[in-house]
Amino acid sequence: MTTAGNDDPYTWLEDVEGERALDWVRARNAEQAATLAAGPEFTTTRDAILEVLDSDAKIPDVTKVGEHLYNFWRDADHERGLWRRTTLDSYRTEAPEWETVLDIDALNAAENENWVWHGASVLRTGPHAYTRAIVDLSRGGADADVSREFDLVAKTFVDDGFFRPESKGGTSWIDADTLFVFTDTGEGTMTPSGYPRIARRWRRGTPLAEAEVVYEGTEADMYIAAVHDSTPGFERDFVSRAIAFYSEELYLLSGTELTLIDVPRSASAGVHREWLTVELREDWEVAGRTYAGGALLAIELDRFLAGERDFRELYTPTPSTSLAAYTWTRHHLVVNLLDDVKSRLEILTPIDGGFSRSVFAGAPAVGTVQVAPVDARTSDELWLYAADFLSPTTLSRASLAEAPGPDGQVAVRIEPLKSMPTFFDADGLVAEQHFASSADGTAVPYFLLRREDLPFDGSTPTLLYGYGGFEISLTPMYSGVLGSAWLERGGAYALANIRGGGEYGPAWHQAALKANRHKAYEDLAAVARDLAERGVTSAEHLGVQGGSNGGLLTGNMLTQYPELFGAVVIQVPLLDMKRYSHLLAGASWMAEYGDPDVPEEWEFIRTFSPYHLFDPGAEYPPVLLTTSTRDDRVHPGHARKMAAQMLAAGKDVTYYENIEGGHGGAATNAQQAHMQALAYRFLAERLGLD
């Protein structure tokens, strides 16, 4: 075990843009360019991936703003992308007529910048409704961005309009001349995690630093924000206080008066029209009842503020189900459940002091289904996305009747709109679900995609993917890149639903927090062994891949279970768990991993810190490490230092650092294709896919 710490010889690689560190990066990048990325197979794989990413036949995701549907689009001719709009009637056609609102490539050329699109928010009320927007742009894809006021009629930025300088943070429209803003306004205004600590009400013409403070968090808080709800008849202002991950408060703001929505800090509260919803992460005893962690509750907000606590329990977790998401329309609440990691929708309608329940007729019964409101303020319409591993994603428009019919069911009308093209030949492929038994006997589900005629002799190159953190669920999705670069060529693929994720609700996540982190790693190791025991693959043909928290996961597979894998891909990772809380946004994750500066917590953190678990004398499978210089969320120093340490010990390490891309690793389709081709070619060569 390495003694890396205060005597860490590679601390200089934490200097993100230091010349010595960048010289090291350039040298490593040149090595991969001369080896892994030099052959014709790499070019073929990269070009095939780019063809998928640049395809004109992809589904244009849209957001309804007034009479228009807005979309952000990138392809081969628009590397940085177009913000564009069309009408619903035109969108229904095979070739919609798009009107360009903002061309990011042209903007970069005009301003000599490297802007990456971070989104836009449109003013939806008042005399200037739907004519003004705040556009967020990031240099190189970092989390930090700028906010600029944009005229949607003239299609230009507003001279002397609202402008938020580069920082992590954001804005929310209140009216045409007022925003909420939460951003860096000088010393002491950001949290230790690098996020805003102060929310302000910013009136046009007022210097940003002099804008009225509506809430100031403590120096230990994680993130402070303020938002305006523009729902007609229910206009309200809220302040959100994120104390840490899984610990938050919501306040109703009336002028300068703040009223706490008094629910457990571990819960997530939301307001829609007259309703307050509370999603529980832990059991809550209130008013003589106990509600289970993972439950969804509702009560009229006015009654709650008056002291009533007679909640309606809209969802109660079971051993096989969890609440994946819930979505309001004008009159209904649609809950999206995971039942053994497969989607199921239900419609709940406030009626007669309670909620009626009906099936979401017409929704696909397999795979992953996601819904999003077209306009929750005024409409009962939803965007409905459906996909599974082998069926391309479809987009439909679902219209819900305003009230249940005589049979008690809400009528649903589904209008198919778009379908993603078939990017790979799925004939002969099957998708199935299995359960592996972890070290403590827990049944861990995973999905397996394989050839129907797989020989079950351990010879099939197989890619295992996992994440296992932050209550994030991994569900079946269609990937043209995975299909064309891996499955179509004969590889198998496994997606693991390990503890730490949200597949079975908060308890599944909490089972792998802090001192129990090892359970997530034991789960993935159990899946790896199960694949070998079934004869799907063997250690020499099994690769594992993960990014961010998943990079920490694969870093632990490398250092704790090297005998199970023939290759390891570690992307934008956390690896030095002694230093992580002092690097960029790392302090915000201590609720997940623990505080390494507390000696008793470092005792368990050190057991899953790959940088410290590395043994120069041990044997390890080949590893690919990738990151981004512009990642201002997970510090690139994690990947740099791990690679340097392993290279110094003579290990088989391939390293690549993209200069742009932020935490996503890539700022353009071309960069993304390059990064993904590196992973697939590395795995193909090391696992014998060729």
Side-chain angles (χ1 to χ4, degrees), residues 598-618:
V598 176
E600 54 267 32
E601 295 195 17
W602 171 241
E603 283 306 303
F604 63 75
I605 295 171
R606 66 195 292 271
T607 67
F608 59 84
S609 179
Y611 190 56
H612 298 85
L613 293 176
F614 173 73
D615 179 357

Side-chain angles (χ1 to χ4, degrees), residues 134-164:
I134 294 293
V135 170
D136 297 323
L137 299 167
S138 158
R139 288 185 173 89
D143 282 357
D145 53 18
V146 303
S147 298
R148 300 165 64 175
E149 187 175 0
F150 191 84
D151 188 323
L152 292 171
V153 178
K155 295 184 285 190
T156 59
F157 288 103
V158 177
D159 291 337
D160 298 322
F162 284 114
F163 175 78
R164 181 180 65 89

Side-chain angles (χ1 to χ4, degrees), residues 217-246:
T218 73
E219 293 184 358
D221 284 344
M222 187 178 82
Y223 199 121
I224 304 299
V227 296
H228 176 72
D229 181 353
S230 62
T231 302
F234 295 89
E235 293 86 353
R236 302 185 184 100
D237 296 326
F238 296 96
V239 168
S240 65
R241 177 193 178 202
I243 301 165
F245 265 96
Y246 330 118

Side-chain angles (χ1 to χ4, degrees), residues 459-478:
S459 66
T460 301
T462 301
L463 171 57
L464 172 59
Y465 187 89
Y467 186 78
F470 296 93
E471 208 172 323
I472 293 172
S473 303
L474 301 183
T475 60
M477 298 296 290
Y478 184 82

Side-chain angles (χ1 to χ4, degrees), residues 57-322:
K58 298 193 306 288
I59 296 175
D61 294 327
V62 290
T63 301
K64 186 177 185 295
V65 178
E67 298 303 313
H68 288 100
L69 300 181
Y70 281 75
N71 162 257
F72 186 74
W73 183 261
R74 292 192 306 195
D75 59 25
D77 296 325
H78 307 96
E79 185 177 62
R80 297 287 169 151
L82 298 173
W83 192 32
R84 58 187 190 170
R85 63 191 176 199
T86 189
T87 64
L88 177 59
D89 286 342
S90 182
Y91 188 74
R92 285 186 171 113
T93 68
E94 291 187 7
E97 295 182 4
W98 293 99
E99 174 191 2
T100 297
V101 178
L102 179 61
D103 184 329
I104 305 299
D105 294 278
L107 179 68
N108 281 341
E111 298 185 349
N112 191 31
E113 281 283 4
N114 64 333
W115 294 125
V116 173
W117 176 259
H118 261 201
S121 60
V122 177
L123 177 66
R124 293 175 180 262
T125 59
H128 299 292
Y130 309 119
T131 67
R132 292 293 174 93
I134 294 293
V135 170
D136 297 323
L137 299 167
S138 158
R139 288 185 173 89
D143 282 357
D145 53 18
V146 303
S147 298
R148 300 165 64 175
E149 187 175 0
F150 191 84
D151 188 323
L152 292 171
V153 178
K155 295 184 285 190
T156 59
F157 288 103
V158 177
D159 291 337
D160 298 322
F162 284 114
F163 175 78
R164 181 180 65 89
E166 186 174 30
S167 168
K168 293 182 180 180
T171 63
S172 175
W173 284 106
I174 300 174
D175 57 42
D177 293 312
T178 319
L179 299 176
F180 283 126
V181 61
F182 31 101
T183 193
D184 189 347
T185 52
E187 185 177 354
T189 63
M190 303 294 277
T191 69
S193 301
Y195 296 117
R197 191 173 68 83
I198 296 174
R200 301 173 181 268
R201 187 182 284 115
W202 187 17
R203 294 178 173 86
R204 191 180 297 278
T206 302
L208 175 57
E210 298 176 16
E212 173 193 2
V213 173
V214 298
Y215 189 87
E216 183 170 345
T218 73
E219 293 184 358
D221 284 344
M222 187 178 82
Y223 199 121
I224 304 299
V227 296
H228 176 72
D229 181 353
S230 62
T231 302
F234 295 89
E235 293 86 353
R236 302 185 184 100
D237 296 326
F238 296 96
V239 168
S240 65
R241 177 193 178 202
I243 301 165
F245 265 96
Y246 330 118
S247 180
E248 59 194 65
E249 292 178 341
L250 181 67
Y251 293 86
L252 180 64
L253 174 65
S254 300
T256 59
E257 182 182 352
L258 288 162
T259 302
L260 174 67
I261 307 299
D262 190 14
V263 300
R265 283 181 170 179
S266 62
S268 180
V271 176
H272 172 76
R273 302 182 69 84
E274 69 268 36
W275 290 101
L276 167 68
T277 52
V278 183
E279 185 177 359
L280 298 178
R281 292 192 181 96
E282 299 173 344
D283 292 355
W284 184 27
E285 184 177 349
V286 61
R289 289 192 61 182
T290 299
Y291 301 98
L296 179 66
L297 314 178
I299 190 173
E300 293 91 338
L301 178 62
D302 288 346
R303 294 181 61 249
F304 179 85
L305 294 175
E308 298 293 331
R309 294 296 184 268
D310 54 334
F311 288 96
R312 285 78 160 177
E313 193 164 10
L314 306 184
Y315 167 75
T316 303
T318 72
S320 67
T321 68
S322 66

